[in-house]
DNA sequence: CCCACACTTAACGCAAGGGCTAAGTATTTG
DNA sequence: CAAATACTTAGCCCTTGCGTTAAGTGTGGG
């Protein structure tokens, strides 16, 4: 149970901030430089960079530097982790529902 | 854009901890008392209670007290928030893919 | 070669998260 | 009614998160 644990920690922490979700939303449309991304955020560059690094260490984005510009890109596959977790959770609900139905059926018989 | 912002903050923060995800997993099988839930967590009761309160304030669970026992229950509908957010994100990817295809098609024609 | 540009590093302040112990409250239960 | 049960509150500690300013590094353009 609860495999992917530490990876999920990072992903959920990364998604728990509006600034970072905005970055992810923006990167959904394609890669962008740190400067471009920071332009939309109401904070100084060093502060914004911390968000970028957190997103990168969570695996949700990757970045690379060319010249003096660092470009950020979304790692779409990383979102599979959330999908899977959500799927697992729903599976548990389904099992329970099944057992409840079984229970109801048994009660009906007796 | 980015409606639900503050609600998502709370939900993602709540999910960012293994102890809390374990509680959610357990509650997927049905309601349980704080005591029962705490039994599986490697920490003292007061510490555990903080997790419960955080889960409740995020809206992922609700609790109610009967006598001296507080019972916790999952709010499955709250998970729709994550589903929707994930859906929005995928929609953005799809739009981009569509535009890319359009672009490729145009290039083909010329 | 010098300066502007695009980060990057360092150092700090404050609030919140996650854990603990100790003591308190409110219900049973014997 | 006394004692056990099931939380609850209060207070403390340490780490991490999020923001700041100030100064530094490396590239690119004039």
């Amino acid at each position: 149970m609860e495999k992917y644990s530490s990876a999920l920690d990072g992903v959920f922490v990364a998604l728990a901030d509006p600034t970072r979700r905005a970055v992810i939303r923006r990167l959904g449309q394609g890669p962008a430089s740190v400067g471009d991304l920071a332009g939309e955020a109401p904070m100084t560059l060093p502060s914004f960079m911390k968000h970028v690094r957190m997103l990168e260490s969570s695996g949700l984005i990757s970045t690379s530097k060319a010249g003096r510009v660092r470009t950020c890109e979304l790692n779409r596959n990383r979102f599979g982790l959330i999908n899977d977790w959500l799927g697992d959770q729903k599976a548990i609900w389904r099992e329970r529902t099944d057992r409840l139905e079984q229970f109801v059926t048994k009660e009906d018989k007796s």
Side-chain angles (χ1 to χ4, degrees), chain A:
Chain A
M1 343 259 136
E2 185 72 19
K3 54 242 172 189
Y4 337 112
S5 185
S6 52
L8 271 180
D9 280 9
V11 168
F12 281 132
V13 167
L15 294 176
D17 182 279
T19 299
R20 291 191 292 262
R21 285 199 304 279
V23 168
I24 283 175
R25 171 174 282 266
R26 167 67 187 73
L27 289 181
Q29 301 169 5
S33 73
V34 168
D36 286 352
L37 293 169
E40 300 167 24
M43 65 186 68
T44 60
L45 225 222
S47 303
F48 185 77
M49 277 302 297
K50 288 189 185 177
H51 290 296
V52 171
R53 282 190 216 102
M54 200 169 293
L55 282 168
E56 185 169 23
S57 72
S58 78
L60 287 170
I61 73 171
S62 358
T63 78
S64 59
K65 198 157 183 177
R68 56 187 172 184
V69 174
R70 179 171 295 280
T71 301
C72 307
E73 190 176 0
L74 210 56
N75 290 149
R76 296 190 185 187
N77 62 307
R78 197 65 168 163
F79 289 73
L81 228 53
I82 310 170
N83 241 332
D84 292 351
W85 179 83
L86 218 54
D88 286 359
Q89 194 61 37
K90 286 175 185 167
I92 293 170
W93 299 344
R94 218 175 306 117
E95 279 170 36
R96 194 208 165 190
T97 309
D98 291 350
R99 275 205 308 285
L100 282 178
E101 277 169 7
Q102 207 175 27
F103 176 74
V104 171
T105 309
K106 275 182 185 170
E107 292 299 296
D108 273 356
K109 279 185 197 165
S110 62

